[in-house]
Amino acid sequence: MLWSLIFLGLVQSSLAAPPIKRWDAMAEKHSWTEVPQGWEYHSPAPQGMSFQLRIGLKQDRVDDLIRDLYEVSDPAHHRYGNHLSKEDVDALVAPHPESVETLNSWLQHHGIDPEQAVYRSGGGDWITHRVTVAQAEKMLGTKYNVYHRPETGSYIVRTLKYSLPRDLHDHVDVVSPTTYFGKTEAMRVNSFMQPEVPTMQYDLNQFNADADAGEIPASCARQVTPYCLRLLYKTIDYVPGATDRNKLGVTGYLKEYTSNNDLQEFFKRFRPEALGTKLNITLVHDGLNDDERPGTEANLDVQYAMAIAHPTPTVFYSTGGSPPFIADDATMTNTNEPYLDWLEHILNETSIPQTLTTSYGDDEQTVPVEYQKRVCSMFAQLGARGSSVIFSSGDYGVGPGLCYTNDGLKTQKFIPHFPASCPFVTTVSKSTGGIPEKTAGLSGGGFSFTFPRPSYQDAQVKAYLSLIGDAYSGLYNESGRGFPDVAGQARGYQIVHKGTVRSIGGTSAAAPVVAGIVSLLNDYQLTKGQPPLGFLNPWLYSEAASAFNDIVKGSNPGCRTLGFSAHHGWDPVTGLGTPDFEKLKALLDKRITAQ
């Protein structure tokens, strides 16, 4: 009897005690078969160097977040427009308590106090701790090295693979910096100088006087100005009325600074009534803004976003990144994770701009899948809170170069762009010419290999796929998220850079223009007592699909192919087409009247 009682007590004790975690039983989380293209091994990372290690815990109710996002973004749903608060979103992305407990136990095992986090997101799904290279290597079962990119002269500290304890795998989505090499230098090519396009040197007032009322001057087909775009997309007669509430945000990375002197000269030449308008600048994660060293990308984005949306208040977010690495430094202050840096900042704000535009991106296959999904879910959080998130689609057509996969097999595939391929952003490609517009060659577009096709575009994408049949079969993912969603003019933009008018083009030009138009639509919503549009795509592919200028000529060559061709309706070259502001505003009016 006594032995029975002792045995029963032992069983009960073992059932009550939590299982012992085996932190030495590791399983790989992600790896590359070779050093990512463009980077070269330089040297081992100094063991004593410290950096900020970000840990993305699994979000316990992320499916509920996505459900809520679609419901508040679907014009046919009774919750349409009822966006979530920061607190609502934080609650949905918070990790399960067991995940937090498991992570804390692991950190303590490695001598890290869980309470000493450098950063903890509002929902607690992102935790950042400062660690040394030696600590990180032990924690992740890996080896960190310094890698060099000769093309730009930049150095970063990364690893080709990392692991986590098996007991932690189900609780953690991603750890960074690890295997994301952040080839963000390539993002600059979303805009490109066009020295072959003569710059506009004559006075804007004369230009306006020479234009017939309501007619688009012939020169606009070659030299694009805010006046051309406002005529073409029919915003010229709209006067914003909610500038006390509406805000437009423009992101900047890679030491791309904007110049107020250039901005004022641009306004003087191309939007005189905006002269004197101030740009608000927010510095994120060691970001800077040097007025004496402006970048063409930042000037382009700011000048055209503000010129279209004037006088809507605009903020430029300058996010730090791409730091030089000095081997004898004890501390690396910036780990070059620009999207995460900016997203952490903006999602921590109680009030965020109703429209946000970004003209940067990278090849989807160069970004670890877990990283893509977490970043994409953060864009979903912005949409759920009522922000319209705009991204450029890239300027490589269906893919850059020879388009081989980087999985070691080197299979030829089309290479989609990220974050353009994220289903929770609105992606903008490029058009050119007068009415009717046509595609501007090498316009980024295609189908994601990471994200499945969202329901909001199912009908349009299926219709396109039925048109092209088995063309390019095997080179793209027929069930993937199709992009772009819309398009905009993208050649011959006249900007002011270092006091001189220059010509520039690319999807980087189209994105801020479309964002400016969306900002005006948000302004109209607010003046009518309505909520901002928020995540646009469910509306664009339903009610608003008819309010775009359909583009049916052209293609987006790449990967040694002619690429996809434009057709009536949606296509992976120019999406639904270019926006007609008056038609879009009329659709908003119709819904408001019907309420």
Side-chain angles (χ1 to χ4, degrees):
M1 184 67 168
L2 178 60
W3 281 111
S4 297
L5 291 173
I6 292 174
F7 177 74
L8 179 62
L10 289 172
V11 170
Q12 290 175 335
S13 175
S14 65
L15 290 175
I20 298 174
K21 304 294 184 183
R22 290 189 57 198
W23 302 128
D24 59 339
M26 307 289 280
E28 187 177 280
K29 193 70 173 175
H30 184 259
S31 66
W32 296 120
T33 57
E34 58 187 9
V35 178
Q37 186 177 5
W39 293 95
E40 297 176 355
Y41 170 81
H42 179 267
S43 62
Q47 292 288 287
M49 188 194 79
S50 66
F51 61 93
Q52 292 186 2
L53 191 72
R54 286 185 173 94
I55 303 167
L57 285 166
K58 288 191 181 296
Q59 300 160 329
D60 190 36
R61 298 175 59 198
V62 67
D63 290 341
D64 292 340
L65 169 71
I66 303 306
R67 179 204 64 203
D68 287 355
L69 170 66
Y70 279 122
E71 290 181 356
V72 302
S73 307
D74 181 359
H77 200 279
H78 68 88
R79 291 184 62 191
Y80 181 63
N82 295 320
H83 300 117
L84 281 61
S85 67
K86 177 183 182 299
E87 292 72 23
D88 293 334
V89 170
D90 285 347
L92 291 173
V93 300
H96 191 279
E98 183 183 351
S99 297
V100 177
E101 181 182 348
T102 304
L103 175 70
N104 288 346
S105 178
W106 177 63
L107 291 173
Q108 289 170 337
H109 174 76
H110 287 283
I112 298 171
D113 184 354
E115 299 301 318
Q116 298 301 311
V118 175
Y119 170 81
R120 193 181 303 271
S121 64
D125 54 322
W126 281 102
I127 312 293
T128 302
H129 284 273
R130 182 166 289 283
V131 300
T132 64
V133 166
Q135 280 181 300
E137 290 180 344
K138 186 176 181 181
M139 294 167 72
L140 304 177
T142 191
K143 173 66 181 173
Y144 276 89
N145 296 305
V146 179
Y147 294 90
H148 177 225
R149 188 168 178 80
E151 177 186 350
T152 60
S154 57
Y155 295 82
I156 59 174
V157 174
R158 291 294 187 274
T159 178
L160 293 182
K161 63 179 180 179
Y162 78 101
S163 301
L164 287 172
R166 294 185 185 276
D167 287 335
L168 195 60
H169 254 252
D170 290 340
H171 301 284
V172 172
D173 277 335
V174 64
V175 179
S176 70
T178 49
T179 54
Y180 175 38
F181 275 63
K183 188 172 65 68
T184 45
E185 291 86 358
M187 298 195 295
R188 280 187 182 146
V189 300
N190 280 2
S191 68
F192 47 87
M193 300 305 297
Q194 294 186 289
E196 74 279 6
V197 178
T199 56
M200 183 175 288
Q201 300 296 339
Y202 48 88
D203 183 76
L204 177 66
N205 293 325
Q206 183 62 45
F207 173 69
N208 289 347
D210 289 344
D212 295 328
E215 295 293 327
I216 301 173
S219 61
C220 289
R222 186 165 176 80
Q223 297 162 317
V224 175
T225 69
Y227 183 71
C228 297
L229 295 165
R230 293 168 67 217
L231 280 175
L232 181 62
Y233 298 137
K234 302 179 182 178
T235 68
I236 197 156
D237 294 325
Y238 183 75
V239 179
T243 55
D244 58 332
R245 289 158 284 163
N246 195 31
K247 186 182 292 186
L248 172 59
V250 179
T251 67
Y253 303 101
L254 308 170
K255 300 181 180 178
E256 277 281 326
Y257 308 138
T258 188
S259 164
N260 182 63
N261 291 333
D262 285 345
L263 178 63
Q264 298 308 318
E265 181 64 24
F266 176 80
F267 284 153
K268 180 181 177 181
R269 289 174 179 263
F270 302 118
R271 189 83 202 259
E273 63 270 39
L275 188 61
T277 302
K278 180 182 178 183
L279 170 67
N280 301 302
I281 297 176
T282 296
L283 306 180
V284 179
H285 203 275
D286 302 322
L288 299 170
N289 194 74
D290 188 341
D291 202 82
E292 300 301 316
R293 292 192 297 143
T296 55
E297 177 69 69
N299 271 357
L300 166 65
D301 294 348
V302 166
Q303 289 172 15
Y304 274 85
M306 293 185 72
I308 298 300
H310 176 74
T312 303
T314 302
V315 57
F316 176 68
Y317 298 93
S318 180
T319 303
S322 297
F325 175 81
I326 303 175
D328 58 0
D329 271 1
T331 301
M332 182 170 63
T333 59
N334 195 315
T335 51
N336 187 24
E337 300 281 3
Y339 294 130
L340 284 184
D341 294 335
W342 177 73
L343 283 164
E344 283 180 352
H345 170 85
I346 196 73
L347 287 171
N348 197 44
E349 296 290 297
T350 302
S351 177
I352 58 180
Q354 290 86 349
T355 312
L356 294 159
T357 180
T358 301
S359 290
Y360 299 80
D362 209 343
D363 297 344
E364 188 182 71
Q365 70 168 359
T366 68
V367 185
V369 170
E370 296 84 356
Y371 189 99
Q372 291 181 50
K373 291 180 177 178
R374 278 307 292 258
V375 168
C376 190
S377 76
M378 295 170 87
F379 293 130
Q381 293 176 51
L382 290 172
R385 289 178 59 182
S387 281
S388 303
V389 183
I390 312 296
F391 264 86
S392 58
S393 71
D395 297 302
Y396 290 111
V398 292
L402 300 179
C403 299
Y404 290 125
T405 59
N406 62 352
D407 56 2
L409 300 177
K410 292 192 174 181
T411 307
Q412 188 181 18
K413 298 278 188 181
F414 289 167
I415 308 296
H417 217 50
F418 177 81
S421 61
C422 169
F424 307 127
V425 305
T426 299
T427 304
V428 184
S429 70
K430 54 187 181 179
S431 63
T432 189
I435 299 174
E437 296 171 85
K438 60 182 180 180
T439 65
L442 299 178
S443 184
F447 300 86
S448 173
F449 283 103
T450 299
F451 302 101
R453 183 193 311 142
S455 59
Y456 60 72
Q457 64 171 191
D458 201 41
Q460 286 92 337
V461 173
K462 282 183 177 178
Y464 181 81
L465 294 177
S466 68
L467 280 173
I468 66 171
D470 60 359
Y472 302 132
S473 179
L475 292 180
Y476 70 97
N477 178 19
E478 293 185 10
S479 62
R481 184 297 206 239
F483 72 97
D485 302 299
V486 297
Q489 287 279 315
R491 281 186 174 172
Y493 274 55
Q494 304 298 288
I495 69 166
V496 174
H497 182 245
K498 296 184 178 179
T500 302
V501 177
R502 299 176 185 272
S503 294
I504 194 169
T507 52
S508 280
V513 167
V514 169
I517 294 169
V518 171
S519 185
L520 295 180
L521 292 171
N522 277 325
D523 177 275
Y524 186 70
Q525 282 281 97
L526 295 173
T527 62
K528 296 296 182 179
Q530 301 296 308
L533 293 171
F535 175 42
L536 294 169
N537 295 6
W539 178 60
L540 296 181
Y541 284 88
S542 56
E543 286 183 0
S546 61
F548 286 82
N549 307 307
D550 196 7
I551 297 175
V552 298
K553 291 184 178 181
S555 64
N556 57 349
C559 301
R560 297 180 293 180
T561 74
L562 295 177
F564 295 108
S565 296
H567 282 280
H568 287 288
W570 181 89
D571 54 67
V573 187
T574 56
L576 296 167
T578 59
D580 184 317
F581 176 76
E582 289 184 353
K583 288 183 179 179
L584 290 165
K585 185 166 72 70
L587 288 173
L588 299 180
D589 252 338
K590 182 179 179 180
R591 190 185 324 116
I592 293 169
T593 303
Q595 290 179 349

